[in-house]
């Protein structure tokens, strides 16, 4: 299907932990307009797209969103790896840490887990493309 090079397109090299920042960035991973939803949105909408060129574009965009998901996960992981109990408490990371320790879990910054309820696939090309644009605009 495609070649996976086993490296990030844009390498992530974070030296200092910052769980407070990670608890905000996690929304870009699994929040309502995050990369997980974006990839599922595009890859699901492609099936009912009647135009082959647009169907191919949705496939390309959906797989690119998966690459973004990998980069966001790397950021969150590097911001939270090797935390001490003192850092967890000082940075206000306890609510996340209690449930997931330093695992990368798809959730919004507010704490609610990823849900497919935050995306739409209607089967109508115009409606679906408008929804895609609205979701992408929300992350800017």
């Amino acid at each position: 299907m495609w070649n996976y090079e086993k490296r990030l397109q844009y390498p992530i090299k974070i030296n200092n932990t910052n769980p407070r920042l990670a608890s905000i960035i996690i929304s870009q991973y699994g929040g309502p307009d995050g990369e997980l939803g974006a990839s599922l949105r595009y890859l699901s909408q492609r099936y009912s797209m009647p135009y082959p060129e647009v169907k191919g574009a949705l496939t390309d965009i959906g797989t690119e969103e998966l690459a973004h998901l990998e980069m966001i996960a790397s950021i969150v992981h590097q911001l939270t790896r090797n935390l001490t109990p003192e850092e967890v408490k000082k940075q206000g990371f306890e609510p996340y840490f209690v449930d997931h320790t330093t695992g990368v879990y798809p959730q919004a910054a507010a704490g609610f887990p990823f849900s497919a309820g935050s995306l739409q696939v209607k089967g109508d090309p115009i409606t679906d493309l408008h929804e895609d644009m609205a979701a992408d605009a929300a992350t800017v």
Side-chain angles (χ1 to χ4, degrees), residues 31 34 60 74 78-79 86-87 92 98 107 109 115 120 138:
D60 292 346
S74 294
Q78 290 180 30
L79 288 170
E86 295 78 25
E87 289 173 311
V98 165
Q107 72 174 43
S115 168
Q120 191 55 264

Side-chain angles (χ1 to χ4, degrees), residues 12-17 73-81:
I12 310 297
K13 304 261 191 246
I14 299 172
N15 295 324
N16 300 320
T17 60
S74 294
I75 291 169
V76 171
H77 169 70
Q78 290 180 30
L79 288 170
T80 60
R81 68 174 176 249

Side-chain angles (χ1 to χ4, degrees), residues 86-124:
E86 295 78 25
E87 289 173 311
V88 170
K89 187 171 185 169
K90 182 180 176 186
Q91 295 281 327
F93 198 61
E94 297 104 323
Y96 183 94
F97 191 83
V98 165
D99 292 332
H100 312 294
T101 65
T102 58
V104 179
Y105 178 75
Q107 72 174 43
F112 57 87
F114 173 78
S115 168
S118 64
L119 58 98
Q120 191 55 264
V121 178
K122 291 300 246 182
D124 175 70

